[in-house]
Amino acid sequence: MKLDLRALLAGEYRTLPVQFDLVIEQDTKNHFTGLTDIRFDTPLSVSGTITNTAGYIRMSLSLSIDYTALCARCLEDVSGSFSFDVERTVVTAKMAEDMTEDRIDELVVVEDGFLALDELLTECLELSLPFRFLCKEDCLGLCDRCGKNLNEGPCNCKKKEIDPRMEPLRRLLDEMKAEEEKEDATPDPQDENN
Ligand SMILES: [Zn+2]
Ligand SMILES: [Zn+2]
């Protein structure tokens, strides 16, 4: 999407409403390949304004997109809607030259009266998305032994995991049992020692 800002820059009106959809390409050729575990179910919906206040031009956009991602723990699909805002000061290339470097991030450069936003907004989406998604905050994930989804109930590995901790008690019970059997078969060893 290239917005025509010529009339806004010329001061013919103060505010330009912005409303468009941006399809996020997810093929392997573009730069948007870092997010392999997410697919977008809708285009990126973009709406907002660009306002010229006596030559100071400010772009203020709200964006949202529907996605399906994988839960980082159980690998089930997680669907949702993600929203974020983008605010930038719009400057001409000439103005950008005079800007100090630490302000460059807050700027977007208009070229020959047109503002190209696809790359900027795609980049902002990539940076705004959470690092990982969870199907729910307390997702139990998969058993790292058998791979069962533990949200659906415990697996059999769970019992085996408890076994080592119960081992001393089990051994004690075995010993007591063996001792009892021995006592039944032979006279009390305590008496012999005395
Ligand atoms: Zn999950
Ligand atoms: Zn298991």
Side-chain angles (χ1 to χ4, degrees):
M1 169 61 66
K2 264 193 174 181
L3 299 177
D4 184 351
L5 298 194
R6 289 174 298 181
L8 184 79
L9 291 168
E12 288 174 27
Y13 47 80
R14 198 173 159 260
T15 302
L16 174 71
V18 177
Q19 179 88 58
F20 65 93
D21 282 349
L22 171 61
V23 174
I24 303 296
E25 301 290 343
Q26 281 193 281
D27 64 350
T28 50
K29 281 176 200 149
N30 71 20
H31 66 283
F32 209 80
T33 50
L35 301 163
T36 49
D37 289 346
I38 188 168
R39 73 167 189 270
F40 298 112
D41 303 322
T42 60
L44 181 64
S45 159
V46 184
S47 70
T49 54
I50 301 177
T51 304
N52 185 348
T53 309
Y56 174 73
I57 304 166
R58 190 73 176 162
M59 178 179 81
S60 180
L61 302 176
S62 296
L63 306 95
S64 74
I65 195 164
D66 289 355
Y67 64 83
T68 302
L70 292 182
C71 172
R73 290 187 197 149
C74 71
L75 307 181
E76 292 290 319
D77 279 354
V78 187
S79 291
S81 188
F82 182 71
S83 301
F84 61 105
D85 295 330
V86 173
E87 302 263 343
R88 290 288 188 283
T89 299
V90 182
V91 295
T92 60
K94 210 174 165 70
M95 288 161 75
E97 278 173 22
D98 301 334
M99 297 282 177
T100 54
E101 219 168 280
D102 60 332
R103 283 209 55 206
I104 293 292
D105 281 358
E106 305 157 28
L107 305 177
V108 60
V109 177
V110 58
E111 286 184 43
D112 300 327
F114 287 87
L115 188 61
L117 289 176
D118 291 9
E119 203 174 317
L120 170 73
L121 297 181
T122 304
E123 222 170 80
C124 288
L125 171 65
E126 196 171 8
L127 294 173
S128 308
L129 279 169
F131 177 62
R132 60 178 202 164
F133 294 88
L134 292 177
C135 62
K136 52 184 178 182
E137 272 308 307
D138 58 349
C139 171
L140 298 172
L142 302 176
C143 171
D144 53 12
R145 287 196 202 168
C146 71
K148 187 186 153 118
N149 185 341
L150 298 175
N151 297 308
E152 293 162 5
C155 62
N156 290 329
C157 309
K158 201 76 188 166
K159 287 176 202 151
K160 283 176 202 155
E161 265 170 39
I162 292 168
D163 269 351
R165 280 179 280 167
M166 301 299 276
E167 188 62 22
L169 180 62
R170 195 190 60 78
R171 217 179 305 159
L172 189 66
L173 286 168
D174 280 355
E175 275 168 26
M176 283 167 71
K177 206 174 154 196
E179 199 70 31
E180 261 171 44
E181 279 163 11
K182 214 163 80 186
E183 275 174 31
D184 288 345
T186 59
D188 195 331
Q190 289 286 326
D191 290 340
E192 276 175 25
N193 290 345
N194 293 342

